[in-house]
Amino acid sequence: MGLLKIEGVTHWSIPVNNLEEAEAFYGELLGLDAKGRLGNSGMSCFNVGDHNILLCELDEPTQQASQRDRKVHHSFTVTPETFEEACRIFRDRSVPIDDLVYRERGFFTGRELYFFDPSGNRLELRDPTWEAGMPTPSFEDIG
């Protein structure tokens, strides 16, 4: 057990190059619940489930860490139907796709779609209902 007892997560922050562009991507495309901007701070709060996410506009646009190291990403859990709809929408809107993984073993099993937001942050949609032995269509064949 740790020395401190953390009670919960207040928020996670995601660096973005353009706040308006990021708000449209996370709110309109991904469907996160927009809570509003934090004054003139260059930050905008979104909520999904019991998590708050702050989009934090960088003073100087930069290449995100997730473009340098594929391990760095943020993951969202979705239903099988949402996963398949996302594949169709992402194809239609030319959202950059990094990888589609069917994970049979490990802590987070299921099918995982990795993609990039407009600032280059690597994100994941995860359908935890997929299990070994189920079909494994390619990204292009889903939907």
Side-chain angles (χ1 to χ4, degrees):
M1 181 182 278
L3 297 175
L4 301 177
K5 183 177 186 278
I6 301 297
E7 298 296 325
V9 174
T10 303
H11 62 77
W12 295 112
S13 299
I14 298 177
V16 299
N17 291 328
N18 180 300
L19 191 56
E20 288 180 15
E21 181 180 54
E23 287 172 325
F25 186 86
Y26 285 86
E28 295 169 21
L29 182 65
L30 296 185
L32 276 61
D33 183 22
K35 295 299 184 183
R37 289 194 176 184
L38 282 67
N40 289 332
S41 65
M43 294 185 284
S44 186
C45 185
F46 283 79
N47 180 269
V48 59
D50 60 351
H51 292 280
N52 292 305
I53 297 172
L54 287 182
L55 302 178
C56 302
E57 188 169 54
L58 297 167
D59 292 333
E60 294 189 27
T62 184
Q63 179 186 24
Q64 300 303 319
S66 60
Q67 290 179 317
R68 296 186 305 269
D69 189 333
R70 296 182 72 222
K71 293 183 297 282
V72 177
H73 67 283
H74 303 284
S75 181
F76 300 100
T77 303
V78 296
T79 65
E81 296 79 17
T82 298
F83 190 94
E84 292 173 9
E85 180 66 13
C87 290
R88 286 190 291 275
I89 291 171
F90 289 2
R91 267 195 312 274
D92 291 346
R93 297 196 180 194
S94 300
V95 172
I97 303 302
D98 185 42
D99 203 3
L100 172 60
V101 174
Y102 293 93
R103 193 170 310 284
E104 296 181 11
R105 290 180 214 83
F107 192 75
F108 299 108
T109 57
R111 59 181 174 170
E112 304 164 342
L113 179 65
Y114 293 91
F115 60 101
F116 293 100
D117 76 1
S119 296
N121 292 297
R122 188 169 187 250
L123 304 173
E124 171 192 350
L125 292 183
R126 178 176 163 264
D127 167 16
T129 67
W130 182 90
E131 297 176 346
M134 295 175 75
T136 59
S138 69
F139 171 74
E140 292 77 15
D141 292 334
I142 296 177

